Every structure is written in C-alpha cells, then in structure tokens.
Amino acid sequence: MNEHVEAKAMRQSAEAITQREARTLNLALQGGGAHGAFTWGVLDRLLDEPKLSFEGIVATSAGAMNAAVMAYGLAEGGRSGAQAALANFWRRVSHAAASGPLQPTLFDRITGSRALEYSPAFIMLDMITRLMSPYQFNPFNFNPLRQVLEQSIDLDAIRMSRCPVKLNICATNVRTGKVKVFGNDEVSVDAIMASACLPFLFQAVEIDGEAYWDGGYMGNPAIFPLIYGCDTPDVLVVHINPIERAEVPHTASEILNRINEISFNSSLLREMRAVAFVTHLIDAASAPLPNLKRIFVHGISDDETMTSLSVSSKLNADWGALVDLRDRGRQCAELWLLENYQDIGSRSTVDISERYL
C-alpha cells in the first residue's frame, strides 16, 4: 500500500467513524502459523471501532489462539483489554521463539527476508519431519506455545457468563475424521493446542479419550457454528491461506505447502457453496422461507503478501516479522472498514461465486 493511498484512507476513515452506526459482526479466523500475526492486526483495527461489536468467533489453529486471547481480553477489559491481550500474546510468542533454534540467519536479517530456508535448524527440522514422526523425534511432546497460552489467557473468563462473545474452536478428530467444535464451556488449553496441532510436528492432542489434529483439515475455519449459533447474519472471514496461486510450485516444500493450502481451504469452499445455494433459493422464492437463513459474507485478505511469503516464514516468529504482518493486517482492515462498513447487516461485500466457487 503506497503512502498516498494510506494517508487518504486515514483521512476518510477519521471522517467516517463519527458517522457510523452500530454494527455487529461474526468473525471466522483462519490459521497459518506466524502468519496469524496478520489476523492480530485485523482484530486490533476492528477493536478500534467504538460502534462495532462481535457476537461469535469461529477459529482454527493460529486463528484459534487469536480468538481465545481476544475473548479473554474482552471479558477482562473490554476493547482495550482485548488489544492489550493480543499484543502481549504475540510478544510472548516472539520471546519464546527467540530462545529456540529457528532463527533467521544474518543474511536473512540484512536482506529483510522473512524466510528460514537458510537456517540450519529449519533445514534439519525439514529433513527430520520427512523421515520421522513427532512420536520419534519429540517423544516428550514439547511445545513452547502451551506455556505461552497458559500465560496469556484465563479460561474462567472465557467460560463465565461475562464473556461477551460466543467462542468456537475447531479441531479434527483423528479417528473419525470429523470436525470437533469446542464452545466457551469446553475451551481449554488442550482444545486450543489441538486446533493448532500439525501432525508432522506434534503428537495428537488427547481430550476425553479422543485424539485431535489441526482443525484446518476439516474446517479452516468451519462456518456452520456461526450460522446455527448466532443471530447476526454477517460473517467476516480473515484469510491467511491464499485460495489461488498464479505459479505452480516446484520445490518439495512449496508443493507440500500448496497441498496444505488446498486442503485447508477445501472445507471453507464447500461451506461457501452451501451458503451460495441457500442464498439463491431465498432470492428465487416468491415468499419468505422460514427455515433458511440469509448470510452476508465479508472477507479481509492480503493475497499479494501471503503468496510472496515462503512456507518457512510460517515458523518465523521474529518480532520484526510479526509486527510487519500486524501492520499489514491493520491496513487491510482499515481499507475494508472504509469501503464496506455501511454494508454490514444489509449485503455481502464478497462475490461468493467469484471468490469461492
């Protein structure tokens, strides 16, 4: 985004804020490792809006962590509390990563690269995960994010009635292959870790005798909890994984990454096809259809940035990289609010057929 466009957006936004009416959104947050800092930026900007409220959040993986931290912050300190909680969470993520082996090289830092392809630790990890399972190379199932989460949220605040949002965390049941959605009363650190459990890196998370992997395989994120569990018809999807890529991947890591992107987007595409079908039925009907609910779909993404980042950058929690993604998320949210705020509650701002079908 150039400086002229950004300055214009800021001026127009300042004028528009005072004229905005109260609106309510549901949020659908995708996962994507460290790229989830983009979602942090989007949420940070949305929380600046005094007349914008949130009824439900459905989220997966890094999105689930953002969602849980935001819900906790809202319950404890309102909008400013949520912003502070998100900032503290991502700083803890960066601090935890700073003491780990996955670090950008000096060359990466000099060139401003967000990739880790030249990191010896990343190269070794990439090789190990192709030959061994996490039950072999990580027998004690160490994951520094668990401690970060435990320091960043109070589960009682999320579960109690004072939590102002309906939280839905998605995970994939390893045995059945079905999506599991953990609501406010079921949310735990284990549930959030299950939602972010990549099976090539971590052992499956067991909850009540069932094993779970990353929710992205069956819902990145699932939309149906918002359709059936919330009154608000508006769903804002914060995209992390590009739906389309112009170039065909050639390296092994690029191919694996694209397979994951296609897999993680597939459930969302299926649900959007169902939303489009229901919308068509409602529009074509000569009388109201009481059993069908119209959904307004919105989306915030930065595909240009996300397609330019390598797969290894999803493991790069260097503070500079996280802040850059946060700032991009704030900018994209700023433009989206400027162009679409008045349409919340009245129409979709995404062409579902063009974007998803």
Side-chain angles (χ1 to χ4, degrees), residues 306-349:
M306 293 306 173
T307 54
S308 70
L309 296 174
S310 71
V311 59
S312 66
S313 64
K314 292 182 178 180
L315 298 176
N316 182 7
D318 178 75
W319 182 244
L322 298 180
V323 168
D324 181 59
L325 283 168
R326 178 204 64 189
D327 292 345
R328 290 178 184 275
R330 278 193 61 91
Q331 291 169 358
C332 289
E334 175 72 35
L335 287 179
W336 184 84
L337 288 167
L338 181 64
E339 296 174 355
N340 302 297
Y341 187 93
Q342 71 280 1
D343 295 315
I344 299 173
S346 60
R347 72 178 189 91
S348 293
T349 57

Side-chain angles (χ1 to χ4, degrees), residues 1-3 5 18 20 22 40 57 80 91 182 242 246 254 259 263 339 352:
M1 181 186 302
N2 61 51
E3 294 181 0
V5 173
T18 59
R20 288 174 181 165
W40 165 30
I57 308 176
S80 61
R91 189 168 286 280
F182 297 92
E254 288 174 347
I259 290 173
S263 174
E339 296 174 355
I352 298 178

Side-chain angles (χ1 to χ4, degrees), residues 1 15 32 37 106 118 121 132 143 153 173 197 207 237 275 277 279 282 304 307 315 339 353:
M1 181 186 302
E15 297 172 358
L106 179 60
Y118 298 105
M132 302 173 66
N143 189 336
I153 60 174
N173 186 305
C197 178
I207 302 174
V237 183
V275 169
F277 177 70
T279 300
I282 294 173
E304 182 178 355
T307 54
L315 298 176
E339 296 174 355
S353 295

Side-chain angles (χ1 to χ4, degrees), residues 5 8 24-25 42-43 49 51 55 72 78 98 103 112 119 153 172 186 188-189 194 242 253 263 266 288 302 333 343:
V5 173
K8 179 180 178 182
T24 304
L25 277 175
V42 171
L43 298 177
E49 288 296 315
K51 296 182 180 180
E55 182 182 2
Y72 156 69
Q103 301 293 324
S119 165
I153 60 174
T172 301
E186 301 174 293
S188 63
V189 171
S253 61
S263 174
S266 62
D302 187 355
D343 295 315

